[in-house]
Amino acid sequence: MSEPSPGAAGSTYASAGVDIEAGDRAVELMKEWVKKATRPEVVGGLGGFAGLFDASALKRYERPLLASATDGVGTKVDLARRMGVYDTIGRDLVGMVVDDLVVCGAEPLFMTDYICVGKVYPERVAAIVKGIAEGCVLAGCALVGGETAEHPGLLGADEFDVAGAGTGVVEADRVLGADRIRTGDAVIAMASSGLHSNGYSLVRHVLLERAGWSLDREVPELGRALGEELLEPTRIYSLDCLALTRTTEVHAFSHITGGGLANNLARVIPDGLHAVVDRSTWTPDPVFGLVGKVGSVERAELEKTLNMGVGMIAVVPEESVDVALATLADRGVDAWVGGEIVERTAGHAGAVSVIGDYAS
C-alpha cells in the first residue's frame, strides 16, 4: 500500500463532501416540528435508531390488519428547489402516503421519512421536515423517525429528494374495497387542491420548457404566480375519509394519483360491474385547462396524467349519499355525486367510463 505524499493533508469525511456537524444541526432544528407530529402511542423521542410505537393500543381490535404504503413526491421537488420554498413539499409526501393507506379503511398511525441531499443545509432540511410534520398533524398520524443522507458527487449541492413510508391499521372485517361495491352505488368525488403531486413531468415540460414561462410569472387564469400554483400542497383526505366511515356506510375509496381518475377508480371496481363518471358534474381548476391549452395536450392525455380536479373518490350506497355529502361539507371538503355503479355489459370497455363534457 502506497504511503501518503509528504505534507499532504489526510482525507476526511468532510473533504469528501459530507458534513456531519451540519447534519447534527439539522436534527436540532427539526426537533420542534417533530414534537408536534405525535400520538399518545409514540414511545421515546427523536434521535434513536428506530421509532417506537406502543402496539398495545391495537388490543382494542378483534383482528387488526396493518397496512403499509410508501411513496415520494416526484419532480415537484425540483420546483421547490428552484423557488427556494421547502416547507410545503413535506405535506405532499404525507398526502401521497396516508391517502393510499386510508383507501382500505386503515387509520394512519405513523410515518418515517427519507431525505436525500447533495449537501446538508440545516435550515433547508428542517424546513422540509416541518412540512412533513405539519402533514402528519393534518393526517392524524405520528412522525416517528427518519433519515437524512448526504450524497455529494451523486446530487448537486442544491438537489434533494424525499420519500416516506407509513403504517396504518384497520379491523379485518371492515376492510374496504371492490368486494363491497354493488350496483346502484354512488360515486362521490372530492375536490383536489390542484395538481397535487402527479404529472409534474408533463406540467414542467409544457409550461417551463416548451412555453418558457418563469415561475414568478403572474398568470391571470390562476390569479397568482405560476410557481405558487405549482407548489400548492396536496390535499390530505385521511381524516375526512375516516369520518365518512364513522358516520355512514362506505364501500370503497380510490386515491386519484398518477394515471388519473379512470385508471385509479378501476382498481376498486369488481368484475361484472362498471363505474360511469360524468364530467358535467364539476369544473376542473384553471391550471388543468392551462396545461392543455399551452401545450396543445389532448383531453385524453390530460385525464390519464392529471387528477383533473378530483383527488379522492368514495363509493357509497345510494342511501348513504346525503349523510356522506353533509359530513364532507362539515369538514370543509367540496364534494359531489359524480357518477354511479352499473352492471357491466358488452358495450362497456373496461371498468370505468368517463362521459360528457366538463361544466364551464
Side-chain angles (χ1 to χ4, degrees), residues 198-233:
N198 301 105
Y200 273 78
S201 293
L202 174 64
V203 172
R204 290 166 55 251
H205 174 70
V206 167
L207 300 179
L208 305 183
E209 297 171 13
R210 286 189 56 183
W213 289 7
S214 63
L215 291 171
D216 61 1
R217 178 189 178 112
E218 293 293 331
V219 183
E221 296 96 322
L222 304 177
R224 55 180 171 174
L226 176 63
E228 292 179 48
E229 177 71 30
L230 299 187
L231 276 192
E232 180 68 33

PDB file of all heavy atoms in Angstrom, residues 198-233:
ATOM      1  N   ASN A 198     -48.679  14.727  -8.872  1.00  0.00           N
ATOM      2  CA  ASN A 198     -48.554  13.804 -10.001  1.00  0.00           C
ATOM      3  C   ASN A 198     -48.626  14.559 -11.322  1.00  0.00           C
ATOM      4  O   ASN A 198     -49.293  15.583 -11.428  1.00  0.00           O
ATOM      5  CB  ASN A 198     -49.659  12.746  -9.957  1.00  0.00           C
ATOM      6  CG  ASN A 198     -49.623  11.937  -8.680  1.00  0.00           C
ATOM      7  OD1 ASN A 198     -50.441  12.133  -7.789  1.00  0.00           O
ATOM      8  ND2 ASN A 198     -48.667  11.041  -8.583  1.00  0.00           N
ATOM      9  N   GLY A 199     -47.923  14.043 -12.301  1.00  0.00           N
ATOM     10  CA  GLY A 199     -47.968  14.643 -13.633  1.00  0.00           C
ATOM     11  C   GLY A 199     -47.047  15.827 -13.819  1.00  0.00           C
ATOM     12  O   GLY A 199     -47.138  16.531 -14.831  1.00  0.00           O
ATOM     13  N   TYR A 200     -46.137  16.050 -12.892  1.00  0.00           N
ATOM     14  CA  TYR A 200     -45.290  17.239 -12.986  1.00  0.00           C
ATOM     15  C   TYR A 200     -44.264  17.162 -14.108  1.00  0.00           C
ATOM     16  O   TYR A 200     -43.771  18.194 -14.568  1.00  0.00           O
ATOM     17  CB  TYR A 200     -44.623  17.525 -11.638  1.00  0.00           C
ATOM     18  CG  TYR A 200     -45.502  18.371 -10.750  1.00  0.00           C
ATOM     19  CD1 TYR A 200     -46.578  17.806 -10.070  1.00  0.00           C
ATOM     20  CD2 TYR A 200     -45.304  19.737 -10.625  1.00  0.00           C
ATOM     21  CE1 TYR A 200     -47.408  18.573  -9.284  1.00  0.00           C
ATOM     22  CE2 TYR A 200     -46.125  20.521  -9.836  1.00  0.00           C
ATOM     23  CZ  TYR A 200     -47.184  19.936  -9.163  1.00  0.00           C
ATOM     24  OH  TYR A 200     -48.025  20.704  -8.390  1.00  0.00           O
ATOM     25  N   SER A 201     -43.931  15.972 -14.551  1.00  0.00           N
ATOM     26  CA  SER A 201     -43.033  15.895 -15.705  1.00  0.00           C
ATOM     27  C   SER A 201     -43.702  16.493 -16.927  1.00  0.00           C
ATOM     28  O   SER A 201     -43.076  17.223 -17.712  1.00  0.00           O
ATOM     29  CB  SER A 201     -42.632  14.434 -15.965  1.00  0.00           C
ATOM     30  OG  SER A 201     -41.832  13.940 -14.910  1.00  0.00           O
ATOM     31  N   LEU A 202     -45.000  16.228 -17.101  1.00  0.00           N
ATOM     32  CA  LEU A 202     -45.749  16.831 -18.205  1.00  0.00           C
ATOM     33  C   LEU A 202     -45.912  18.329 -17.984  1.00  0.00           C
ATOM     34  O   LEU A 202     -45.698  19.136 -18.894  1.00  0.00           O
ATOM     35  CB  LEU A 202     -47.121  16.167 -18.332  1.00  0.00           C
ATOM     36  CG  LEU A 202     -48.079  16.803 -19.353  1.00  0.00           C
ATOM     37  CD1 LEU A 202     -47.517  16.690 -20.766  1.00  0.00           C
ATOM     38  CD2 LEU A 202     -49.462  16.170 -19.263  1.00  0.00           C
ATOM     39  N   VAL A 203     -46.307  18.719 -16.785  1.00  0.00           N
ATOM     40  CA  VAL A 203     -46.549  20.131 -16.485  1.00  0.00           C
ATOM     41  C   VAL A 203     -45.279  20.953 -16.677  1.00  0.00           C
ATOM     42  O   VAL A 203     -45.301  22.033 -17.297  1.00  0.00           O
ATOM     43  CB  VAL A 203     -47.082  20.288 -15.044  1.00  0.00           C
ATOM     44  CG1 VAL A 203     -47.163  21.761 -14.652  1.00  0.00           C
ATOM     45  CG2 VAL A 203     -48.453  19.632 -14.917  1.00  0.00           C
ATOM     46  N   ARG A 204     -44.157  20.476 -16.177  1.00  0.00           N
ATOM     47  CA  ARG A 204     -42.898  21.198 -16.332  1.00  0.00           C
ATOM     48  C   ARG A 204     -42.488  21.280 -17.790  1.00  0.00           C
ATOM     49  O   ARG A 204     -42.006  22.314 -18.265  1.00  0.00           O
ATOM     50  CB  ARG A 204     -41.788  20.504 -15.508  1.00  0.00           C
ATOM     51  CG  ARG A 204     -41.991  20.676 -14.000  1.00  0.00           C
ATOM     52  CD  ARG A 204     -41.115  19.720 -13.171  1.00  0.00           C
ATOM     53  NE  ARG A 204     -39.713  19.803 -13.460  1.00  0.00           N
ATOM     54  CZ  ARG A 204     -39.006  18.884 -14.098  1.00  0.00           C
ATOM     55  NH1 ARG A 204     -39.608  17.754 -14.503  1.00  0.00           N
ATOM     56  NH2 ARG A 204     -37.732  19.038 -14.317  1.00  0.00           N
ATOM     57  N   HIS A 205     -42.701  20.172 -18.525  1.00  0.00           N
ATOM     58  CA  HIS A 205     -42.349  20.160 -19.946  1.00  0.00           C
ATOM     59  C   HIS A 205     -43.161  21.197 -20.717  1.00  0.00           C
ATOM     60  O   HIS A 205     -42.611  21.937 -21.550  1.00  0.00           O
ATOM     61  CB  HIS A 205     -42.601  18.759 -20.518  1.00  0.00           C
ATOM     62  CG  HIS A 205     -42.420  18.673 -22.003  1.00  0.00           C
ATOM     63  ND1 HIS A 205     -41.186  18.768 -22.604  1.00  0.00           N
ATOM     64  CD2 HIS A 205     -43.336  18.512 -23.015  1.00  0.00           C
ATOM     65  CE1 HIS A 205     -41.327  18.661 -23.922  1.00  0.00           C
ATOM     66  NE2 HIS A 205     -42.621  18.517 -24.187  1.00  0.00           N
ATOM     67  N   VAL A 206     -44.451  21.276 -20.428  1.00  0.00           N
ATOM     68  CA  VAL A 206     -45.332  22.191 -21.163  1.00  0.00           C
ATOM     69  C   VAL A 206     -45.074  23.639 -20.792  1.00  0.00           C
ATOM     70  O   VAL A 206     -44.847  24.497 -21.664  1.00  0.00           O
ATOM     71  CB  VAL A 206     -46.810  21.825 -20.901  1.00  0.00           C
ATOM     72  CG1 VAL A 206     -47.736  22.943 -21.393  1.00  0.00           C
ATOM     73  CG2 VAL A 206     -47.160  20.522 -21.588  1.00  0.00           C
ATOM     74  N   LEU A 207     -45.117  23.953 -19.509  1.00  0.00           N
ATOM     75  CA  LEU A 207     -45.113  25.348 -19.079  1.00  0.00           C
ATOM     76  C   LEU A 207     -43.717  25.947 -18.940  1.00  0.00           C
ATOM     77  O   LEU A 207     -43.509  27.122 -19.262  1.00  0.00           O
ATOM     78  CB  LEU A 207     -45.861  25.486 -17.751  1.00  0.00           C
ATOM     79  CG  LEU A 207     -47.330  25.061 -17.767  1.00  0.00           C
ATOM     80  CD1 LEU A 207     -47.947  25.232 -16.382  1.00  0.00           C
ATOM     81  CD2 LEU A 207     -48.124  25.845 -18.803  1.00  0.00           C
ATOM     82  N   LEU A 208     -42.760  25.151 -18.480  1.00  0.00           N
ATOM     83  CA  LEU A 208     -41.426  25.695 -18.244  1.00  0.00           C
ATOM     84  C   LEU A 208     -40.488  25.494 -19.421  1.00  0.00           C
ATOM     85  O   LEU A 208     -39.723  26.399 -19.765  1.00  0.00           O
ATOM     86  CB  LEU A 208     -40.820  25.068 -16.983  1.00  0.00           C
ATOM     87  CG  LEU A 208     -41.653  25.188 -15.702  1.00  0.00           C
ATOM     88  CD1 LEU A 208     -40.890  24.584 -14.523  1.00  0.00           C
ATOM     89  CD2 LEU A 208     -42.033  26.622 -15.421  1.00  0.00           C
ATOM     90  N   GLU A 209     -40.533  24.308 -20.029  1.00  0.00           N
ATOM     91  CA  GLU A 209     -39.598  24.012 -21.115  1.00  0.00           C
ATOM     92  C   GLU A 209     -40.114  24.503 -22.467  1.00  0.00           C
ATOM     93  O   GLU A 209     -39.453  25.293 -23.142  1.00  0.00           O
ATOM     94  CB  GLU A 209     -39.306  22.514 -21.149  1.00  0.00           C
ATOM     95  CG  GLU A 209     -38.624  22.003 -19.878  1.00  0.00           C
ATOM     96  CD  GLU A 209     -38.527  20.485 -19.830  1.00  0.00           C
ATOM     97  OE1 GLU A 209     -38.764  19.836 -20.880  1.00  0.00           O
ATOM     98  OE2 GLU A 209     -38.234  19.945 -18.739  1.00  0.00           O
ATOM     99  N   ARG A 210     -41.306  24.071 -22.857  1.00  0.00           N
ATOM    100  CA  ARG A 210     -41.821  24.463 -24.176  1.00  0.00           C
ATOM    101  C   ARG A 210     -42.262  25.915 -24.210  1.00  0.00           C
ATOM    102  O   ARG A 210     -41.893  26.661 -25.126  1.00  0.00           O
ATOM    103  CB  ARG A 210     -42.986  23.562 -24.582  1.00  0.00           C
ATOM    104  CG  ARG A 210     -42.558  22.161 -24.995  1.00  0.00           C
ATOM    105  CD  ARG A 210     -43.713  21.380 -25.594  1.00  0.00           C
ATOM    106  NE  ARG A 210     -44.331  22.054 -26.726  1.00  0.00           N
ATOM    107  CZ  ARG A 210     -45.389  21.591 -27.382  1.00  0.00           C
ATOM    108  NH1 ARG A 210     -45.957  20.461 -27.009  1.00  0.00           N
ATOM    109  NH2 ARG A 210     -45.878  22.252 -28.407  1.00  0.00           N
ATOM    110  N   ALA A 211     -43.069  26.340 -23.235  1.00  0.00           N
ATOM    111  CA  ALA A 211     -43.560  27.718 -23.238  1.00  0.00           C
ATOM    112  C   ALA A 211     -42.522  28.698 -22.704  1.00  0.00           C
ATOM    113  O   ALA A 211     -42.593  29.895 -23.010  1.00  0.00           O
ATOM    114  CB  ALA A 211     -44.838  27.808 -22.410  1.00  0.00           C
ATOM    115  N   GLY A 212     -41.572  28.196 -21.916  1.00  0.00           N
ATOM    116  CA  GLY A 212     -40.520  29.055 -21.402  1.00  0.00           C
ATOM    117  C   GLY A 212     -40.973  30.012 -20.315  1.00  0.00           C
ATOM    118  O   GLY A 212     -40.340  31.044 -20.079  1.00  0.00           O
ATOM    119  N   TRP A 213     -42.060  29.681 -19.634  1.00  0.00           N
ATOM    120  CA  TRP A 213     -42.568  30.561 -18.585  1.00  0.00           C
ATOM    121  C   TRP A 213     -41.679  30.488 -17.352  1.00  0.00           C
ATOM    122  O   TRP A 213     -41.135  29.423 -17.013  1.00  0.00           O
ATOM    123  CB  TRP A 213     -43.996  30.171 -18.201  1.00  0.00           C
ATOM    124  CG  TRP A 213     -45.013  30.497 -19.249  1.00  0.00           C
ATOM    125  CD1 TRP A 213     -44.792  30.961 -20.508  1.00  0.00           C
ATOM    126  CD2 TRP A 213     -46.430  30.355 -19.126  1.00  0.00           C
ATOM    127  NE1 TRP A 213     -45.980  31.128 -21.176  1.00  0.00           N
ATOM    128  CE2 TRP A 213     -47.002  30.770 -20.356  1.00  0.00           C
ATOM    129  CE3 TRP A 213     -47.268  29.927 -18.099  1.00  0.00           C
ATOM    130  CZ2 TRP A 213     -48.368  30.764 -20.583  1.00  0.00           C
ATOM    131  CZ3 TRP A 213     -48.638  29.917 -18.314  1.00  0.00           C
ATOM    132  CH2 TRP A 213     -49.176  30.337 -19.544  1.00  0.00           C
ATOM    133  N   SER A 214     -41.563  31.602 -16.663  1.00  0.00           N
ATOM    134  CA  SER A 214     -40.815  31.628 -15.402  1.00  0.00           C
ATOM    135  C   SER A 214     -41.770  31.337 -14.251  1.00  0.00           C
ATOM    136  O   SER A 214     -42.987  31.559 -14.354  1.00  0.00           O
ATOM    137  CB  SER A 214     -40.165  32.997 -15.195  1.00  0.00           C
ATOM    138  OG  SER A 214     -41.156  34.005 -15.071  1.00  0.00           O
ATOM    139  N   LEU A 215     -41.224  30.858 -13.148  1.00  0.00           N
ATOM    140  CA  LEU A 215     -42.058  30.509 -12.003  1.00  0.00           C
ATOM    141  C   LEU A 215     -42.663  31.732 -11.329  1.00  0.00           C
ATOM    142  O   LEU A 215     -43.676  31.622 -10.638  1.00  0.00           O
ATOM    143  CB  LEU A 215     -41.247  29.699 -11.000  1.00  0.00           C
ATOM    144  CG  LEU A 215     -40.854  28.290 -11.470  1.00  0.00           C
ATOM    145  CD1 LEU A 215     -39.866  27.658 -10.507  1.00  0.00           C
ATOM    146  CD2 LEU A 215     -42.077  27.402 -11.632  1.00  0.00           C
ATOM    147  N   ASP A 216     -42.066  32.919 -11.542  1.00  0.00           N
ATOM    148  CA  ASP A 216     -42.627  34.135 -10.951  1.00  0.00           C
ATOM    149  C   ASP A 216     -43.589  34.853 -11.893  1.00  0.00           C
ATOM    150  O   ASP A 216     -44.070  35.946 -11.591  1.00  0.00           O
ATOM    151  CB  ASP A 216     -41.525  35.074 -10.477  1.00  0.00           C
ATOM    152  CG  ASP A 216     -40.604  35.533 -11.617  1.00  0.00           C
ATOM    153  OD1 ASP A 216     -40.839  35.129 -12.781  1.00  0.00           O
ATOM    154  OD2 ASP A 216     -39.655  36.294 -11.336  1.00  0.00           O
ATOM    155  N   ARG A 217     -43.897  34.235 -13.017  1.00  0.00           N
ATOM    156  CA  ARG A 217     -44.829  34.833 -13.978  1.00  0.00           C
ATOM    157  C   ARG A 217     -46.234  34.878 -13.377  1.00  0.00           C
ATOM    158  O   ARG A 217     -46.758  33.874 -12.902  1.00  0.00           O
ATOM    159  CB  ARG A 217     -44.852  34.003 -15.260  1.00  0.00           C
ATOM    160  CG  ARG A 217     -45.838  34.500 -16.322  1.00  0.00           C
ATOM    161  CD  ARG A 217     -45.951  33.491 -17.455  1.00  0.00           C
ATOM    162  NE  ARG A 217     -46.905  33.891 -18.481  1.00  0.00           N
ATOM    163  CZ  ARG A 217     -46.586  34.239 -19.717  1.00  0.00           C
ATOM    164  NH1 ARG A 217     -45.314  34.228 -20.099  1.00  0.00           N
ATOM    165  NH2 ARG A 217     -47.512  34.602 -20.592  1.00  0.00           N
ATOM    166  N   GLU A 218     -46.848  36.046 -13.388  1.00  0.00           N
ATOM    167  CA  GLU A 218     -48.227  36.186 -12.949  1.00  0.00           C
ATOM    168  C   GLU A 218     -49.148  35.685 -14.058  1.00  0.00           C
ATOM    169  O   GLU A 218     -49.063  36.144 -15.194  1.00  0.00           O
ATOM    170  CB  GLU A 218     -48.549  37.645 -12.607  1.00  0.00           C
ATOM    171  CG  GLU A 218     -47.796  38.175 -11.395  1.00  0.00           C
ATOM    172  CD  GLU A 218     -48.232  37.504 -10.098  1.00  0.00           C
ATOM    173  OE1 GLU A 218     -49.407  37.073 -10.007  1.00  0.00           O
ATOM    174  OE2 GLU A 218     -47.397  37.407  -9.174  1.00  0.00           O
ATOM    175  N   VAL A 219     -50.011  34.737 -13.719  1.00  0.00           N
ATOM    176  CA  VAL A 219     -50.891  34.115 -14.713  1.00  0.00           C
ATOM    177  C   VAL A 219     -52.334  34.490 -14.378  1.00  0.00           C
ATOM    178  O   VAL A 219     -52.870  34.051 -13.351  1.00  0.00           O
ATOM    179  CB  VAL A 219     -50.731  32.583 -14.714  1.00  0.00           C
ATOM    180  CG1 VAL A 219     -51.595  31.956 -15.792  1.00  0.00           C
ATOM    181  CG2 VAL A 219     -49.264  32.202 -14.905  1.00  0.00           C
ATOM    182  N   PRO A 220     -52.974  35.319 -15.210  1.00  0.00           N
ATOM    183  CA  PRO A 220     -54.334  35.784 -14.907  1.00  0.00           C
ATOM    184  C   PRO A 220     -55.320  34.653 -14.656  1.00  0.00           C
ATOM    185  O   PRO A 220     -56.177  34.744 -13.771  1.00  0.00           O
ATOM    186  CB  PRO A 220     -54.711  36.593 -16.161  1.00  0.00           C
ATOM    187  CG  PRO A 220     -53.402  37.054 -16.716  1.00  0.00           C
ATOM    188  CD  PRO A 220     -52.443  35.938 -16.442  1.00  0.00           C
ATOM    189  N   GLU A 221     -55.216  33.575 -15.431  1.00  0.00           N
ATOM    190  CA  GLU A 221     -56.146  32.460 -15.250  1.00  0.00           C
ATOM    191  C   GLU A 221     -56.035  31.831 -13.860  1.00  0.00           C
ATOM    192  O   GLU A 221     -56.998  31.267 -13.333  1.00  0.00           O
ATOM    193  CB  GLU A 221     -55.890  31.369 -16.304  1.00  0.00           C
ATOM    194  CG  GLU A 221     -56.153  31.799 -17.741  1.00  0.00           C
ATOM    195  CD  GLU A 221     -54.888  32.253 -18.433  1.00  0.00           C
ATOM    196  OE1 GLU A 221     -54.036  32.908 -17.764  1.00  0.00           O
ATOM    197  OE2 GLU A 221     -54.727  31.969 -19.635  1.00  0.00           O
ATOM    198  N   LEU A 222     -54.848  31.923 -13.280  1.00  0.00           N
ATOM    199  CA  LEU A 222     -54.611  31.315 -11.972  1.00  0.00           C
ATOM    200  C   LEU A 222     -54.829  32.294 -10.823  1.00  0.00           C
ATOM    201  O   LEU A 222     -55.012  31.876  -9.674  1.00  0.00           O
ATOM    202  CB  LEU A 222     -53.183  30.762 -11.897  1.00  0.00           C
ATOM    203  CG  LEU A 222     -52.791  29.748 -12.971  1.00  0.00           C
ATOM    204  CD1 LEU A 222     -51.327  29.349 -12.804  1.00  0.00           C
ATOM    205  CD2 LEU A 222     -53.693  28.523 -12.922  1.00  0.00           C
ATOM    206  N   GLY A 223     -54.752  33.581 -11.125  1.00  0.00           N
ATOM    207  CA  GLY A 223     -54.905  34.587 -10.086  1.00  0.00           C
ATOM    208  C   GLY A 223     -53.710  34.693  -9.170  1.00  0.00           C
ATOM    209  O   GLY A 223     -53.792  35.281  -8.083  1.00  0.00           O
ATOM    210  N   ARG A 224     -52.588  34.150  -9.574  1.00  0.00           N
ATOM    211  CA  ARG A 224     -51.363  34.222  -8.792  1.00  0.00           C
ATOM    212  C   ARG A 224     -50.187  33.816  -9.684  1.00  0.00           C
ATOM    213  O   ARG A 224     -50.358  33.449 -10.852  1.00  0.00           O
ATOM    214  CB  ARG A 224     -51.443  33.341  -7.562  1.00  0.00           C
ATOM    215  CG  ARG A 224     -51.782  31.877  -7.820  1.00  0.00           C
ATOM    216  CD  ARG A 224     -51.821  31.110  -6.510  1.00  0.00           C
ATOM    217  NE  ARG A 224     -52.347  29.766  -6.644  1.00  0.00           N
ATOM    218  CZ  ARG A 224     -52.357  28.887  -5.642  1.00  0.00           C
ATOM    219  NH1 ARG A 224     -51.852  29.214  -4.467  1.00  0.00           N
ATOM    220  NH2 ARG A 224     -52.867  27.675  -5.813  1.00  0.00           N
ATOM    221  N   ALA A 225     -48.984  33.836  -9.086  1.00  0.00           N
ATOM    222  CA  ALA A 225     -47.805  33.451  -9.849  1.00  0.00           C
ATOM    223  C   ALA A 225     -47.822  31.957 -10.146  1.00  0.00           C
ATOM    224  O   ALA A 225     -48.358  31.160  -9.375  1.00  0.00           O
ATOM    225  CB  ALA A 225     -46.542  33.814  -9.072  1.00  0.00           C
ATOM    226  N   LEU A 226     -47.210  31.599 -11.271  1.00  0.00           N
ATOM    227  CA  LEU A 226     -47.197  30.202 -11.698  1.00  0.00           C
ATOM    228  C   LEU A 226     -46.592  29.301 -10.621  1.00  0.00           C
ATOM    229  O   LEU A 226     -47.135  28.238 -10.306  1.00  0.00           O
ATOM    230  CB  LEU A 226     -46.397  30.067 -12.996  1.00  0.00           C
ATOM    231  CG  LEU A 226     -46.216  28.650 -13.531  1.00  0.00           C
ATOM    232  CD1 LEU A 226     -47.564  28.032 -13.892  1.00  0.00           C
ATOM    233  CD2 LEU A 226     -45.278  28.648 -14.740  1.00  0.00           C
ATOM    234  N   GLY A 227     -45.461  29.708 -10.051  1.00  0.00           N
ATOM    235  CA  GLY A 227     -44.807  28.875  -9.055  1.00  0.00           C
ATOM    236  C   GLY A 227     -45.670  28.636  -7.828  1.00  0.00           C
ATOM    237  O   GLY A 227     -45.661  27.544  -7.264  1.00  0.00           O
ATOM    238  N   GLU A 228     -46.427  29.637  -7.407  1.00  0.00           N
ATOM    239  CA  GLU A 228     -47.316  29.465  -6.260  1.00  0.00           C
ATOM    240  C   GLU A 228     -48.357  28.395  -6.551  1.00  0.00           C
ATOM    241  O   GLU A 228     -48.680  27.570  -5.693  1.00  0.00           O
ATOM    242  CB  GLU A 228     -48.004  30.790  -5.923  1.00  0.00           C
ATOM    243  CG  GLU A 228     -47.090  31.863  -5.383  1.00  0.00           C
ATOM    244  CD  GLU A 228     -47.849  33.137  -5.099  1.00  0.00           C
ATOM    245  OE1 GLU A 228     -48.918  33.072  -4.464  1.00  0.00           O
ATOM    246  OE2 GLU A 228     -47.400  34.216  -5.534  1.00  0.00           O
ATOM    247  N   GLU A 229     -48.903  28.415  -7.757  1.00  0.00           N
ATOM    248  CA  GLU A 229     -49.897  27.411  -8.139  1.00  0.00           C
ATOM    249  C   GLU A 229     -49.283  26.021  -8.165  1.00  0.00           C
ATOM    250  O   GLU A 229     -49.865  25.056  -7.654  1.00  0.00           O
ATOM    251  CB  GLU A 229     -50.470  27.740  -9.518  1.00  0.00           C
ATOM    252  CG  GLU A 229     -51.462  26.723 -10.060  1.00  0.00           C
ATOM    253  CD  GLU A 229     -52.787  26.736  -9.334  1.00  0.00           C
ATOM    254  OE1 GLU A 229     -53.189  27.806  -8.835  1.00  0.00           O
ATOM    255  OE2 GLU A 229     -53.438  25.670  -9.275  1.00  0.00           O
ATOM    256  N   LEU A 230     -48.100  25.909  -8.743  1.00  0.00           N
ATOM    257  CA  LEU A 230     -47.488  24.593  -8.904  1.00  0.00           C
ATOM    258  C   LEU A 230     -47.022  23.999  -7.578  1.00  0.00           C
ATOM    259  O   LEU A 230     -46.920  22.778  -7.455  1.00  0.00           O
ATOM    260  CB  LEU A 230     -46.311  24.674  -9.879  1.00  0.00           C
ATOM    261  CG  LEU A 230     -46.645  25.122 -11.309  1.00  0.00           C
ATOM    262  CD1 LEU A 230     -45.422  24.998 -12.206  1.00  0.00           C
ATOM    263  CD2 LEU A 230     -47.805  24.324 -11.889  1.00  0.00           C
ATOM    264  N   LEU A 231     -46.760  24.848  -6.582  1.00  0.00           N
ATOM    265  CA  LEU A 231     -46.344  24.343  -5.278  1.00  0.00           C
ATOM    266  C   LEU A 231     -47.497  24.187  -4.292  1.00  0.00           C
ATOM    267  O   LEU A 231     -47.274  23.822  -3.137  1.00  0.00           O
ATOM    268  CB  LEU A 231     -45.279  25.257  -4.663  1.00  0.00           C
ATOM    269  CG  LEU A 231     -43.829  25.032  -5.075  1.00  0.00           C
ATOM    270  CD1 LEU A 231     -42.891  25.814  -4.163  1.00  0.00           C
ATOM    271  CD2 LEU A 231     -43.442  23.553  -5.070  1.00  0.00           C
ATOM    272  N   GLU A 232     -48.724  24.444  -4.719  1.00  0.00           N
ATOM    273  CA  GLU A 232     -49.880  24.257  -3.831  1.00  0.00           C
ATOM    274  C   GLU A 232     -49.837  22.833  -3.257  1.00  0.00           C
ATOM    275  O   GLU A 232     -49.783  21.860  -3.993  1.00  0.00           O
ATOM    276  CB  GLU A 232     -51.182  24.461  -4.605  1.00  0.00           C
ATOM    277  CG  GLU A 232     -52.434  24.290  -3.776  1.00  0.00           C
ATOM    278  CD  GLU A 232     -52.610  25.384  -2.743  1.00  0.00           C
ATOM    279  OE1 GLU A 232     -52.206  26.536  -3.011  1.00  0.00           O
ATOM    280  OE2 GLU A 232     -53.145  25.073  -1.661  1.00  0.00           O
ATOM    281  N   PRO A 233     -49.860  22.697  -1.930  1.00  0.00           N
ATOM    282  CA  PRO A 233     -49.716  21.361  -1.343  1.00  0.00           C
ATOM    283  C   PRO A 233     -50.877  20.425  -1.658  1.00  0.00           C
ATOM    284  O   PRO A 233     -52.016  20.857  -1.867  1.00  0.00           O
ATOM    285  CB  PRO A 233     -49.648  21.642   0.170  1.00  0.00           C
ATOM    286  CG  PRO A 233     -49.244  23.069   0.281  1.00  0.00           C
ATOM    287  CD  PRO A 233     -49.858  23.751  -0.902  1.00  0.00           C
TER     288      PRO A 233
END
